[in-house]
Amino acid sequence: MQAQNLLKQKTELENVVHTVEQAERALEDAKVLWELGQEAKDASTLEEASAVVAKLEESIRGLELQRMLAEKTDRLNCFMDINAGAGGTESMDWAAMLMRMYMRYCEQRGWKVEMNDMVEGEEAGYKNVSFRVEGAFAYGYLKAEIGIHRLVRISPFDSNARRHTSFAAIDVYPELDEEVRIDIPEKDIELKFIRGGGAGGQKVNKTSSTAQLRHLPTGMVVTCQTERSQNANREMAFKILKARLYDLEMKKRQEAKDVAEAAKADIAFGSQIRSYVLAPYRLVKDLRTGVETGNVDKVLDGDLDAFIVAQLMGVKNPNRNPTEN
């Protein structure tokens, strides 16, 4: 495993070096083309130089983004939790819409998604969903989505066709590798195997293979029911618990460090980060960065790069009200 991690890091560093070398060559080519075009007063050569510069700028932006993903956990796989907020069926349906949106985003990036646990709503959607994402820099990108997501729409569950506001919370934890050790004393764990929940019929787990871990000091409960055996579910549940405990410790340290900063509201779990409005107009707006688009369908189909990159690059919305939740 350690050798695989080293090879993976080696490949990533080689890619960075290759990109930098390409950028240097492109810059030199652009300079030569520009000088030739100026001397010969050749518009086509000047246009070619401009095209090279435009491509170079795109490459530099990619390098800058990589620099922002420099934390040792950024390159790791991750776990994502989606929890429906207050609002009953409406919020549970919103949680299902968010699950589809993130799965589409992961698919577009070539990442692998594995379900760990889900609790279905009585009428539609999910009360909560937990899944694992495997791919390069999965945690680095998806951590930008942590927070409260708000949906405004004409409810399909309201016979009077009234407008409803729904909320769902997103949290993301890195899947820790051998470089990050989290030791959990056996006395702090309560483990039991239960029958999995579901909507009924074939979806009900008829054997007690679902692993449920309770971390006694924090009260955290982790459930995993999608693996084929008790041992596999237990192992995945421990991975998720370790990831959550690591995330909790990092948040405590961040809070202690930044308690005096007004910008803390922008990154704290529990703050509203984005609004998705389907009625009376159509708009998705990120409240942290100010990035917005009227193409709601495209966003809900997984087109999230504009929002995620802006957050990772530290773009701030100058009109953000820090008390807006």
Side-chain angles (χ1 to χ4, degrees):
M1 180 65 73
Q2 187 174 5
Q4 290 179 346
N5 289 333
L6 288 173
L7 286 173
K8 185 178 179 181
Q9 292 178 42
K10 177 175 179 288
T11 300
E12 291 169 357
L13 291 172
E14 286 175 343
N15 289 337
V16 171
V17 171
H18 179 65
T19 303
V20 171
E21 290 175 345
Q22 280 188 320
E24 289 176 341
R25 288 195 295 269
L27 179 60
E28 189 61 34
D29 290 345
K31 288 171 64 177
V32 171
L33 284 170
W34 184 261
E35 290 170 358
L36 289 174
Q38 290 280 53
E39 290 176 6
K41 293 183 171 46
D42 184 357
S44 63
T45 302
L46 293 173
E47 288 177 5
E48 185 178 353
S50 297
V52 172
V53 170
K55 189 174 181 180
L56 177 59
E57 288 177 343
E58 183 178 345
S59 178
I60 296 300
R61 282 194 294 270
L63 285 172
E64 180 66 13
L65 179 59
Q66 283 184 290
R67 187 181 70 82
M68 301 304 292
L69 294 170
E71 296 290 334
K72 65 180 179 181
T73 53
D74 285 342
R75 60 182 174 80
L76 300 178
N77 303 327
C78 68
F79 300 101
M80 175 175 276
D81 291 346
I82 304 175
N83 293 291
T89 300
E90 189 68 34
S91 290
M92 294 177 202
D93 189 54
W94 174 221
M97 292 169 65
L98 286 172
M99 181 183 74
R100 178 187 179 278
M101 181 180 78
Y102 287 117
M103 287 189 168
R104 291 286 293 130
Y105 176 73
C106 293
E107 178 185 324
Q108 291 162 20
R109 296 198 69 87
W111 295 341
K112 181 181 178 182
V113 175
E114 297 175 347
M115 296 302 303
N116 290 323
D117 187 34
M118 60 172 62
V119 178
E120 298 181 12
E122 289 79 7
E123 292 185 53
Y126 300 98
K127 294 179 180 178
N128 51 68
V129 177
S130 177
F131 54 89
R132 174 179 179 269
V133 181
E134 179 181 336
F137 292 92
Y139 176 69
Y141 281 91
L142 289 175
K143 69 181 182 182
E145 295 298 284
I146 295 173
I148 302 297
H149 296 244
R150 182 182 70 167
L151 173 70
V152 180
R153 66 171 176 176
I154 302 298
S155 172
F157 306 101
D158 188 334
S159 58
N160 295 316
R162 290 172 294 187
R163 191 155 49 100
H164 284 243
T165 299
S166 308
F167 297 89
I170 302 294
D171 214 341
V172 181
Y173 318 93
E175 181 183 29
L176 305 180
D177 59 15
E178 293 179 350
E179 294 183 21
V180 184
R181 293 185 59 84
I182 298 290
D183 295 319
I184 306 176
E186 189 174 337
K187 64 181 179 61
D188 289 348
I189 293 294
E190 181 183 278
L191 169 66
K192 60 182 178 180
F193 294 98
I194 59 178
R195 290 190 178 184
Q202 295 180 346
K203 294 186 179 180
V204 174
N205 188 341
K206 294 181 173 60
T207 62
S208 299
S209 61
T210 295
Q212 186 176 88
L213 282 179
R214 181 183 297 275
H215 185 245
L216 300 178
T218 63
M220 285 186 184
V221 177
V222 176
T223 304
C224 185
Q225 62 176 317
T226 55
E227 302 297 331
R228 294 186 176 182
S229 68
Q230 285 187 345
N231 286 337
N233 280 322
R234 175 184 178 278
E235 183 178 344
M236 183 57 70
F238 265 104
K239 281 187 177 182
I240 297 171
L241 178 60
K242 288 180 179 181
R244 289 184 180 178
L245 290 174
Y246 176 85
D247 181 71
L248 178 63
E249 180 61 26
M250 291 300 101
K251 283 175 179 174
K252 286 180 179 178
R253 294 183 185 184
Q254 186 70 31
E255 288 171 1
K257 180 180 179 182
D258 298 336
V259 67
E261 293 185 14
K264 181 65 176 67
D266 286 342
I267 60 175
F269 177 75
S271 62
Q272 182 178 309
I273 66 166
R274 192 174 304 141
S275 291
Y276 306 71
V277 182
L278 279 64
Y281 53 89
R282 296 178 68 81
L283 180 73
V284 179
K285 181 172 182 177
D286 195 289
L287 304 176
R288 304 163 299 174
T289 63
V291 174
E292 61 181 56
T293 177
N295 196 337
V296 179
D297 293 335
K298 192 174 181 183
V299 172
L300 292 176
D301 203 34
D303 187 15
L304 299 172
D305 276 338
F307 300 102
I308 289 177
V309 171
Q311 173 63 13
L312 294 177
M313 295 294 286
V315 176
K316 297 294 182 183
N317 180 6
N319 299 316
R320 172 76 192 273
N321 178 358
T323 64
E324 185 177 10
N325 286 307

